[in-house]
Amino acid sequence: MRNQSFFHYIPGKTFLHKMQPWIKIILMLTLAIAAFYCPLVPALCIFFTLATFSLTYLRFSPRNLLSDIRPALIYFFLLYMASTFSNITPGEKICFPEMLVPKKYYMELGARLLLSMETTSIFFRTTTQIQLNHGFRQIESALTRRKKTPVADLLSLTLNFVPRLSELWQKISLAWESRGGKNGPRKIKTLTTILFRTGMDESYKKSQAIKNRM
């Protein structure tokens, strides 16, 4: 179940797994930001290329891929709905079925987000939490010329918490279903409270661990 979690590390021996973490961090940030300046067609082409690369060379499962880009797909759907509704406003003279064709602006936003999420997914899936922390420390030490790296520790703690929250949600969700709980507003309300309490407890413990090492 752990490897199916959102942005969770998958062991491997590829060149990306072996790459220096500080190099991957710089590449990931550069590519993720550059994705939001990419035109529609190139963004989609690069996304499908990276997705194919993830499934074939990196051996990610289709479930891994869908898990990581699911937020982007949901946002993409919302953009499509927004575009459709804007086509049927009184000021727009667009007939069916043209009204179902989304506007290029909304399509570009969705494609750019998909590309950015896939780039980030490859980074997290090939980088351990220890490597992530070490990479941020290397970058901060090179910039500040100091051994202490409080900013790097905070960044790594925050980013490591993203896949951990997903894993916690899956666990409490399975526990809810095993007790006969059903999907719906009550589930979201109950589990969100548990997730918040558990997440705060874990973040406190991790912050104390980092503080004790400093």
Side-chain angles (χ1 to χ4, degrees):
M1 183 183 72
R2 290 177 62 87
N3 287 349
Q4 306 295 348
S5 301
F6 183 70
F7 282 174
H8 204 283
Y9 173 73
I10 297 178
K13 297 181 179 180
T14 68
F15 74 95
L16 283 176
H17 287 83
K18 299 176 182 178
M19 185 182 293
Q20 287 292 324
W22 68 269
I23 297 177
K24 280 200 284 188
I25 291 173
I26 294 175
L27 282 176
M28 186 270 293
L29 291 174
T30 303
L31 294 175
I33 294 173
F36 286 95
Y37 295 92
C38 195
L40 174 60
V41 176
L44 288 175
C45 290
I46 297 172
F47 164 73
F48 284 113
T49 300
L50 289 178
T52 303
F53 174 76
S54 300
L55 293 171
T56 55
Y57 180 72
L58 297 177
R59 302 295 183 183
F60 296 173
S61 69
R63 188 174 179 181
N64 294 146
L65 182 64
L66 289 175
S67 172
D68 292 344
I69 66 172
R70 184 181 300 157
L73 291 175
I74 295 173
Y75 186 67
F76 202 100
F77 174 75
L78 293 176
L79 287 175
Y80 175 77
M81 295 300 296
S83 176
T84 303
F85 282 122
S86 68
N87 287 338
I88 61 176
T89 53
E92 296 286 344
K93 296 181 180 180
I94 303 177
C95 301
F96 184 87
E98 287 81 5
M99 60 180 294
L100 299 179
V101 178
K103 294 180 179 178
K104 184 179 179 181
Y105 170 74
Y106 292 103
M107 291 293 291
E108 281 186 337
L109 280 178
R112 289 167 179 172
L113 184 58
L114 278 173
L115 177 56
S116 181
M117 291 290 288
E118 178 59 21
T119 302
T120 308
S121 167
I122 292 174
F123 168 76
F124 273 99
R125 294 284 186 181
T126 59
T127 310
T128 65
Q129 294 183 1
I130 295 176
Q131 290 174 335
L132 187 65
N133 186 276
H134 183 61
F136 278 120
R137 285 182 175 178
Q138 284 181 305
I139 294 173
E140 185 175 355
S141 295
L143 294 174
T144 62
R145 303 295 181 182
R146 296 178 181 177
K147 291 184 178 180
K148 290 187 176 181
T149 55
V151 176
D153 291 335
L154 179 61
L155 279 173
S156 60
L157 176 64
T158 303
L159 292 177
N160 286 333
F161 207 56
V162 173
R164 181 56 181 159
L165 278 178
S166 174
E167 186 180 335
L168 287 173
W169 177 264
Q170 286 190 9
K171 286 183 177 180
I172 61 178
S173 218
L174 287 173
W176 172 271
E177 292 173 2
S178 66
R179 290 183 173 88
K182 298 181 179 180
N183 293 326
R186 185 166 176 265
K187 174 186 175 180
I188 296 175
K189 179 182 177 181
T190 305
L191 298 193
T192 300
T193 303
I194 297 174
L195 181 67
F196 178 78
R197 185 172 63 249
T198 307
M200 290 296 292
D201 182 57
E202 285 214 5
S203 63
Y204 174 76
K205 290 179 180 178
K206 286 189 176 182
S207 65
Q208 288 298 111
I210 291 176
K211 184 178 179 180
N212 292 334
R213 290 199 299 265
M214 295 176 62

